[in-house]
Amino acid sequence: MSEWGAWANLGLRWLHLTAGIAWIGSSFYFMWLDSHLKAPAKRREGVAGELWSVHSGGFYHQMKFMVAPTGMPDELHWFKWEAYTTWISGFLLLALIFYVGADVNLIDAGRLALSRWQAIGIGLGTLVAGWLVYDGLCRSPLGKNLRVFGVVWFLVLTAAAWGLTRVFSDLGAVMHLGAIIGTVMVANVFLIIIPNQRRVVAQVLAGEAPDPALGKQAKQRSVHNNYMTLPVLFIMVSNHYPMIVSAPLNWLWLAGLGVTGWTIRHFFNLRNAGQVRFDVLALGALAFVTVAVLNETARPKPAGGVPPPRFADVRTLIDRHCVMCHAAAPTHKGVAAAPNGVALDSDAGLTRNAAKIYERAVATHSMPLNNETGMTDAERASLGAWIKAGAKVGS
């Protein structure tokens, strides 16, 4: 990636983060508001509930109408650009990292030998397919029952996670699952929630009785979005957790973290409604622990009893597998600077970053990226033995 590409990456990440905070914040707030509305102190036609609150030195009086007010105000705020900006910036970031950099970041020839355009086509196709499956489920009889729908949609996403990890690189698969969820969420806003609200406004302005089914459908999609928020948030930052992204059962990690995120969200939704259900949190904790144990059991253990190699052999191993990217002047196509500033082309850089090397190359096997250099288990064990022995230069 060129310097301009790196700057674009940084700018898009910050825009994505900022817009995501705004979108998620408004989603969480309105779910909280709905659960705290009380019957109006003074009966008002069409008012379903009201809430008095205080914040930043001011008092606020919020009211929710059953379907819509009898007349529309001159100015009406629409909560939509937070969602749109989050998806647009996220898609551009996905394209920059995984489509422009498909050869490095998306394609894992050890899994499936794809051309760049085949990989991009599959990636884009999963986003479209994810929405079509989700929307079809919502419009089916399953969509009428939140719990049944949630179980089926969870199984669909788990199957997608499993399939993606058989096609793409670990990080490419994880990020595309997040992109599927994010696309579904913003499509809910763009194709269902906002259009339905516009129809209600048009009906009121035309003097017609607004159709309550429109609001009910919009509410359904809004609730779904609320429960998908925490899993997609984790996926946004998952590149910081190679122990999960590159786990032997990483697709199962995504499923377990999905359950954990949904149960946390459900606990707080219930808490906002006046119910305290610690058993809900216990279910999420059980899912997390179960998946962690299964992954650690399946993770290849560094071979024990391997004698520490000579430093010259370690230097040769690192030069063969790592320095094309991790160097002051990388030679790998698409890599303009050493990732995360980890340069291993000097002996000082090698010993200083020994712990990071152990985590990525020995413990999690997440480096070299997609193991494109063919680093063997014996080489990983030898490298681990050198690090465990103190990572000494000249030994």
Side-chain angles (χ1 to χ4, degrees):
M1 185 181 293
S2 68
E3 289 188 14
W4 285 113
W7 281 110
N9 186 319
L10 177 63
L12 287 171
R13 282 183 187 274
W14 272 105
L15 178 59
H16 190 49
L17 176 66
T18 303
I21 290 172
W23 183 16
I24 292 163
S26 63
S27 170
F28 281 12
Y29 172 73
F30 278 104
M31 287 292 291
W32 177 91
L33 180 62
D34 266 355
S35 66
H36 283 75
L37 292 170
K38 306 291 184 183
K42 294 182 179 179
R43 180 178 176 82
R44 291 190 56 179
E45 184 179 354
V47 175
E50 66 176 355
L51 172 73
W52 282 89
S53 57
V54 59
H55 184 70
S56 302
F59 291 87
Y60 300 83
H61 184 201
Q62 293 104 326
M63 291 184 293
K64 179 179 179 179
F65 292 83
M66 293 177 182
V67 179
T70 54
M72 283 292 153
D74 294 334
E75 188 172 331
L76 185 64
H77 181 77
W78 298 79
F79 286 87
K80 56 181 181 178
W81 285 109
E82 299 89 343
Y84 299 164
T85 305
T86 300
W87 188 86
I88 291 170
S89 58
F91 180 77
L92 291 175
L93 192 59
L94 185 79
L96 177 64
I97 296 173
F98 295 101
Y99 297 161
V100 174
D103 294 336
V104 177
N105 297 315
L106 183 59
I107 298 171
D108 184 344
R111 292 179 178 169
L112 202 58
L114 299 169
S115 70
R116 170 192 293 268
W117 292 110
Q118 285 174 328
I120 294 172
I122 293 172
L124 293 174
T126 60
L127 304 188
V128 176
W131 164 251
L132 292 177
V133 171
Y134 167 84
D135 188 55
L137 290 173
C138 285
R139 296 176 187 276
S140 75
L142 291 174
K144 297 178 181 179
N145 187 309
L146 178 60
R147 291 183 179 181
V148 174
F149 172 86
V151 170
V152 174
W153 180 231
F154 165 75
L155 293 175
V156 169
L157 289 177
T158 300
W162 183 88
L164 287 167
T165 55
R166 268 63 189 166
V167 175
F168 293 147
S169 67
D170 288 331
L171 187 58
V174 170
M175 287 301 171
H176 272 81
L177 183 73
I180 290 172
I181 301 173
T183 298
V184 164
M185 292 173 67
V186 80
N188 275 338
V189 176
F190 184 69
L191 298 175
I192 303 296
I193 298 173
I194 294 298
N196 283 15
Q197 290 175 338
R198 290 193 183 280
R199 292 188 187 101
V200 169
V201 170
Q203 288 170 345
V204 172
L205 292 176
E208 302 171 0
D211 182 359
L214 296 172
K216 184 177 180 180
Q217 185 187 41
K219 181 65 176 178
Q220 174 204 45
R221 303 304 178 96
S222 181
V223 170
H224 291 177
N225 279 5
N226 184 260
Y227 280 97
M228 288 188 279
T229 297
L230 293 183
V232 83
L233 269 180
F234 172 79
I235 292 175
M236 283 174 61
V237 300
S238 62
N239 62 308
H240 296 291
Y241 300 95
M243 62 178 292
I244 289 177
V245 172
S246 298
L249 300 175
N250 50 8
W251 64 273
L252 191 59
W253 252 127
L254 292 173
L257 288 166
V259 172
T260 302
W262 291 335
T263 54
I264 291 173
R265 191 64 240 156
H266 191 54
F267 172 82
F268 281 103
N269 286 340
L270 291 174
R271 179 68 183 83
N272 291 336
Q275 302 180 51
V276 179
R277 292 280 304 276
F278 288 109
D279 58 312
V280 173
L281 288 181
L283 176 62
L286 178 62
F288 184 92
V289 172
T290 300
V291 172
V293 170
L294 290 172
N295 268 283
E296 288 307 307
T297 301
R299 188 184 302 281
K301 300 296 188 293
V306 177
R310 296 179 306 139
F311 177 71
D313 295 331
V314 173
R315 182 73 266 174
T316 299
L317 190 156
I318 293 295
D319 289 344
R320 180 186 308 129
H321 295 293
C322 308
V323 297
M324 70 285 291
C325 296
H326 291 281
T331 58
H332 195 295
K333 178 184 176 182
V335 180
N340 298 318
V342 177
L344 306 177
D345 50 343
S346 69
D347 293 348
L350 176 54
T351 55
R352 182 171 60 251
N353 292 291
K356 295 179 180 178
I357 296 171
Y358 188 90
E359 178 190 359
R360 301 300 298 269
V362 181
T364 66
H365 292 200
S366 58
M367 285 291 169
L369 190 63
N370 304 331
N371 200 22
E372 63 175 329
T373 60
M375 192 176 194
T376 66
D377 289 343
E379 288 176 318
R380 295 181 192 277
S382 180
L383 182 58
W386 174 75
I387 295 171
K388 287 291 187 180
K392 297 176 182 178
V393 175
S395 58

